[in-house]
Amino acid sequence: MGALLDAQSWRTLLENWPIFAAGLLQTVVASVLSMLLAAAIGLVMGAFALAPVRLLRWVNRVYVEFFRNTPLLVQVFFLYYGLPQVHVVIPTLWVGVLGLSIYTGAYIAEVLRAGFQAVPRGQMEAGLASGLTYSQVVRRIILPQALRFTLPPLTNQFVNLVKNSQVLALIAGFDLMYQTDSWSSQTALYVQAYIAAAVLYLALTLPLATWARRMERRMNRQLQRRADAGVTEVA
Amino acid sequence: MPESAPFHPWAVLFTPENLRFLAWGFGVTLRIALGAMAISFAAGVVLGTARFAGDRFPESPLARGVAALATVYIEVIRNLPMLLIMLAVRFLTPIPAIWAAITGMSIFTAAIMAEIVRGGLMSVEQGQWEAAASQGLSLWQTLRWIVLPPALRRMVPALVSEFITITKDTTFAWSLGIQELLGSGVILFNRYLNAMQVFALIAVVFFTVDFLMSLAARALERRTGEGLATQ
């Protein structure tokens, strides 16, 4: 690999750092915006799964199964090429964010549903018995516990989201992948471009993934200790 | 073939020649998916076993070394976007586009498969190994008769859900200039400007394949009563 050792190529890459920085920024912005929107969708859809109304539970199942079993890229193309068809024109970044949110929202809905169902039923009964209202029990007792269970998987979903933001490259969304692809085809410095992009992506994903795993281990140990202490929780 | 007026955005997709065109693209999608499934599973078994060796035999320097190498590969690769790897293979190697797609997908997915394989092996209790050793079984016999049967059973649901992911991710091959199902759809859309109809139809095709796979995985999990918790 002569290209790998060519000093001039690396100098060119360093001189062009603003291009990669702009791509990285766009990737971060798209990921954060999508995560916020996906969390909102996931929270509503996840709550539907526990609703006492059958129609809402059915909506949850259809949404989750449909969007998890179809390619993100097909969903994004549907929006990117389809919205102008019905005379809706929004900036490309927002098309990407919308697609990423709808897709990731389905996964987050599942994570939250599992989290809610992991909270023992007795908690609700105990809360109601001690005179709290239904919404107080949900807000102050159920939700905090459910969110604690789901923090690691939610972090993993965010890592997936950062990786999935690559779809922006295919709709000219000026993210890191797009800039890497266009810069490398202009300069023919493919080795430098892909190594730089890999390093930048890992700088975003590795710390998050590691943190998620640590949290998961800590929680498992806590649950283990509780079980050892004889506090059995049967959901 | 002359278009009969009036032009209908749905009907035009269901002409025999356009259906054949989409079916051809779907064939390419399946070829990429099956290739990536086979290669990534084989590589995942090797990587996952290598990493598990370090968990199982921490006193052996060889096992620890092999496990360390596998761990670095797994942690780096699975935290990269797959498209990055696919494009790198496409531009840095002389192999044909479709093989670049299959190879790029496999390099990435092998890391995910490795963790599934390792999880399955780890799920077999320590006591099973000790019991097998006390009966005088060799390492190979222990794996063949005691450890692998339950480990493989528990891997199946997670493996199937990874197969679903592979099927969905074949669409990224389009950006390597391969005309698979999504690529066929883009060509039809460019001709008829019926984006919503084209991509909805393609979504339904993918949904049918992937949802059937997920139902099969759930049925298997219920029948064996065993599965790894996957997120």
Side-chain angles (χ1 to χ4, degrees):
Chain A
M1 278 274 203
L4 192 60
L5 303 173
D6 182 40
Q8 184 51 48
S9 302
W10 290 104
R11 267 199 295 277
T12 310
L13 175 74
L14 287 178
E15 279 160 16
N16 289 192
W17 74 266
I19 293 173
F20 286 84
L24 184 68
L25 183 65
Q26 183 81 332
T27 288
V28 170
V29 167
S31 302
V32 171
L33 289 175
S34 303
M35 190 65 189
L36 293 172
L37 199 50
I41 294 173
L43 205 57
V44 172
M45 282 292 160
F48 280 6
L50 309 171
V53 186
R54 180 173 307 179
L55 176 68
L56 293 181
R57 290 203 299 271
W58 191 80
V59 169
N60 162 280
R61 283 335 300 159
V62 170
Y63 184 90
V64 166
E65 296 297 349
F66 182 77
F67 286 107
R68 283 200 322 176
N69 285 303
T70 49
L72 170 63
L73 201 45
V74 175
Q75 294 168 26
V76 169
F77 275 19
F78 179 92
L79 295 171
Y80 183 66
Y81 294 113
L83 288 177
Q85 201 185 338
V86 290
H87 310 293
V88 175
V89 180
I90 53 174
T92 306
L93 172 68
W94 284 99
V95 174
V97 166
L98 199 58
L100 284 165
S101 307
I102 290 169
Y103 181 81
T104 311
Y107 285 87
I108 290 180
E110 275 304 82
V111 168
L112 292 178
R113 183 177 68 99
F116 284 131
Q117 287 172 341
V119 180
R121 293 195 77 92
Q123 300 276 318
M124 172 61 80
E125 287 151 19
L128 292 174
S130 59
L132 295 173
T133 64
Y134 179 82
S135 76
Q136 281 176 322
V137 177
V138 170
R139 261 206 331 270
R140 296 191 187 162
I141 295 173
I142 309 287
L143 216 70
Q145 292 186 73
L147 289 180
R148 242 199 40 205
F149 281 121
T150 54
L151 204 51
L154 283 176
T155 310
N156 284 329
Q157 284 307 329
F158 184 58
V159 174
N160 286 340
L161 182 53
V162 171
K163 291 191 288 177
N164 277 330
S165 67
Q166 63 189 351
V167 296
L168 280 165
L170 305 182
I171 57 171
F174 294 96
D175 66 316
L176 180 53
M177 192 73 72
Y178 178 87
Q179 301 286 22
T180 306
D181 191 40
S182 75
W183 184 82
S184 65
S185 51
Q186 280 163 24
T187 59
L189 300 178
Y190 295 106
V191 175
Q192 282 71 22
Y194 288 111
I195 289 178
V199 168
L200 292 174
Y201 273 113
L202 288 174
L204 294 179
T205 54
L206 264 178
L208 284 164
T210 311
W211 183 58
R213 192 144 7 108
R214 285 220 188 106
M215 264 191 309
E216 219 164 346
R217 283 209 199 109
R218 215 177 32 236
M219 270 178 213
N220 286 341
R221 274 202 303 273
Q222 277 175 354
L223 289 173
Q224 193 58 50
R225 267 205 303 276
R226 272 195 216 173
D228 294 343
V231 184
T232 47
E233 296 187 351
V234 185
Chain B
M1 192 180 132
E3 290 306 338
S4 57
F7 168 100
H8 190 280
W10 274 113
V12 83
L13 291 177
F14 292 93
T15 62
E17 71 172 320
N18 285 344
L19 281 179
R20 261 201 304 278
F21 186 66
L22 287 167
W24 194 83
F26 185 57
V28 178
T29 290
L30 285 183
R31 276 210 296 280
I32 298 170
L34 292 172
M37 282 176 197
I39 297 171
S40 65
F41 178 65
V45 167
V46 174
L47 279 168
T49 310
R51 192 170 181 183
F52 175 72
D55 300 316
R56 182 80 204 96
F57 307 108
E59 65 287 341
S60 151
L62 176 66
R64 275 210 316 273
V66 167
L69 285 177
T71 304
V72 169
Y73 178 94
I74 291 166
E75 294 306 325
V76 168
I77 294 291
R78 73 170 176 174
N79 283 303
L80 288 171
M82 194 186 66
L83 182 58
L84 181 79
I85 300 169
M86 288 171 81
L87 289 171
V89 174
R90 177 80 181 100
F91 290 123
L92 299 175
T93 67
I95 57 178
I98 189 153
W99 280 105
I102 292 173
T103 308
M105 286 185 78
S106 300
I107 288 172
F108 175 78
T109 314
I112 317 276
M113 294 280 191
E115 283 301 277
I116 296 171
V117 170
R118 175 172 168 241
L121 290 167
M122 298 269 273
S123 74
V124 179
E125 304 78 7
Q126 181 80 9
Q128 298 278 337
W129 288 84
E130 287 158 8
S134 75
Q135 297 299 311
L137 295 185
S138 68
L139 177 62
W140 171 242
Q141 286 173 318
T142 305
L143 282 172
R144 171 75 187 76
W145 300 107
I146 311 293
V147 176
L148 283 181
L152 285 170
R153 262 203 315 276
R154 289 166 199 171
M155 283 175 212
V156 165
L159 285 176
V160 176
S161 99
E162 201 47 42
F163 286 162
I164 292 172
T165 304
I166 288 177
T167 312
K168 291 192 296 180
D169 283 351
T170 54
T171 47
F172 284 104
W174 176 78
S175 60
L176 272 57
I178 296 163
Q179 196 211 303
E180 35 59 82
L181 183 55
L182 182 72
S184 303
V186 171
I187 290 172
L188 286 182
F189 150 68
N190 282 326
R191 184 195 262 182
Y192 302 113
L193 302 180
N194 53 351
M196 286 196 161
Q197 289 78 4
V198 170
F199 296 118
L201 179 64
I202 288 175
V204 167
V205 173
F206 273 107
F207 175 78
T208 307
V209 175
D210 289 330
F211 188 59
L212 283 176
M213 273 200 271
S214 79
L215 287 181
R218 268 176 252 176
L220 277 169
E221 198 165 357
R222 261 201 310 275
R223 220 182 51 196
T224 61
E226 285 175 331
L228 300 167
T230 53
Q231 59 106 24

